Amino acid sequence: MTNGIVNGAAELENQFASLGINGTKSAYVPPHLRSSQRAASSPTNLNPIGWNDSRTSTPPARGGYGGRGGYADRGASGHYSPGPRRTDGWSERPQSASVGGHPRGDSAARETFGYGTWRDGAHVVGGRNMRLEKELYGDATDPSKQHSGINFEKYDDIPVEATGAGVPEPLNVFSSPPLDPVLLENIGYSRYTTPTPVQKYSIPIVAAGRDLMACAQTGSGKTGGFLFPILSASFTNGPRQPPVDTQSSYNRTRKAYPTALILAPTRELVNQIHEEARKFAYRSWVRPAVVYGGADINSQLRTIERGCDLLSATPGRLVDLIERGRISLANVRYLVLDEADRMLDMGFEPQIRRIVQEEDMPGVHERQTLMFSATFPRDIQMLAKDFLKDYIFLSVGRVGSTSENITQKIEYVEDHDKRSVLLDILASQNTGLTLIFVETKRMADMLSDFLLSNSFAATSIHGDRTQRERETALQTFRQGRTPIMVATAVAARGLDIPNVMHVVNYDLPSDIDDYVHRIGRTGRAGNTGVSTAFFNRGNKNIVRDLVELLREANQDIPPWLETVAHESTFGGGGYRGRGSRGGGGGGGRGRGASRDYRPSGGFHSGPRAPSFGGGPQIGGGYGGGYSGGSAGGGQSWW
DNA sequence: AAAAAAT
């Protein structure tokens, strides 16, 4: 219900207390008083040789931060917009600290306005910047900033299985160690109180230097699950020395050498990850950056010039920038593949393999690799085999559907009745955001036009809209200015939009995993949500999985739906398999496939991880049985 | 079949 969004300083204090920031001994010391202390007392060289970064050892080397207009020129949509125009174009040089003529162009000012640096083997933490804090974290009343970091009591029920050799103990509170104190503060500002199950495991796993393969859905806190340990280690270890690049001596343009690379399938998703990264990198030396297609490449080039330590990217644009010689992966120490199954579905495998295996990225033993995927079919297993080493497999139970905080309704609606039924639904509710999923881009346009013409403030998001339109749509939806958004699959996964009260599957997907992801846009952060699906004869292919899912989630199942499920199971027309990927063997099934196929440590085969959720597991469910197949003329119930 | 993603 109430998701515990905090208000006021008292509450914030509580949170700090629960974060262990007060420590066991002394009272809370405000960060701006602590930073000098820390810098002074921090051990001079914790790091292996080669981690000291010449770029940051002289203050102006990262030029541009003070010289730009500061943070204000980051658009409200969250991505960087071009800073004030420079007359000298690209040729900003270290000594031109005052380039742009901004009054805050000196290094001291730079470090006190929310940005830290790394100097002489020590982390020099930046001072607080209230304006930036408000932008990053909002305040307790800003609904568009509310986040699922809060109120995770519900999440304690979510089963987690960690398998592999030497699984470290999970971490039950955010604490230092293992987390860097600066990160802990930022977690506090973000009003995260308790690690989610995936974070409880991923933090110690990554902190121990291990690779990770995690089957977890969005809403499980997996973004924090990889950002926290990566940023924490980065804060502590400092930057890496960029390799000597022969080009740079005669090339005026600088090349970016990120130490962490995060790949994700959609532009909005990388943007969202980037925004999270900005929150947690606050006041540290780490400069998060983001690149994706559809946006002006030149402004992206300028922003990565200003710092690109943790890069979130869609594969296509990243390859482009590598080809242009503007990004090198030689310094990558952490690689994250988010929504890996989705990326393969979208045909990114060649580009991903190119990025990971055919460019200058360090090999699997020289980096840490984390893969996140909702499912673990054969092709993801292959990817894991190639990209990971001796990884720990983490399986996190389904969040949205099994935790029962989403009420799922299935309505029988013929196609030609959908519009009017939708109007009825929208008219009968008055608060919260409604997200409507359709199958085609054309339908998304048509439906949002229709809603607008019926005086509903609606917008739409799909791949044929310009990136600017997409971002505007998302923004106005988040803010509640257009509380209805019609979306295609582009918005099905990963997007974290607080306060989505209702998800309408105007068109049902044919893949149950897509359905799970879609309804997972509501009921987040322990809130309750409602989902309504319009079902008709065109959706027979999902009915069996759907009924099974509803049953698992203790939802009411309309009797007619049971009938359809029964008919489609035994009456022929059996829907086989799940689309393109996977192929048989161990992996085929969506939910059943999210398990470690490796044996304990060695390399025999056979599933090992205990299962949860009660669904059929590998080899069960679909495999045998009714292979009768699609022909079998069995007539359906209608 | 559609969607997404580099131009």
Side-chain angles (χ1 to χ4, degrees), chain A residues 94-137:
Chain A
Q95 66 270 26
S96 57
S98 63
V99 71
H102 195 280
R104 289 204 301 263
D106 62 289
S107 67
R110 194 173 308 144
E111 282 158 29
T112 53
F113 281 91
Y115 297 90
T117 184
W118 184 269
R119 183 179 307 155
D120 303 331
H123 197 186
V124 182
V125 180
R128 290 184 68 168
N129 174 340
M130 301 320 285
R131 184 158 131 230
L132 180 56
E133 281 184 26
K134 188 162 192 317
E135 181 199 330
L136 293 176
Y137 310 112

Side-chain angles (χ1 to χ4, degrees), chain A residues 161 196 349 361:
Chain A
E161 302 291 347
T196 69
E349 182 160 3
M361 186 184 297

Side-chain angles (χ1 to χ4, degrees), chain A residues 340-342 344-346 349 373 375-383 511 513 576-590 593:
Chain A
D341 51 353
R342 185 80 181 147
L344 293 197
D345 281 350
M346 288 167 61
E349 182 160 3
S373 180
T375 60
F376 198 44
R378 176 65 54 101
D379 50 1
I380 295 288
Q381 294 171 22
M382 300 306 290
L383 214 59
D511 185 324
D513 289 326
R576 208 50 321 95
R578 331 177 334 101
S580 44
R581 66 166 189 267
R589 188 90 196 290

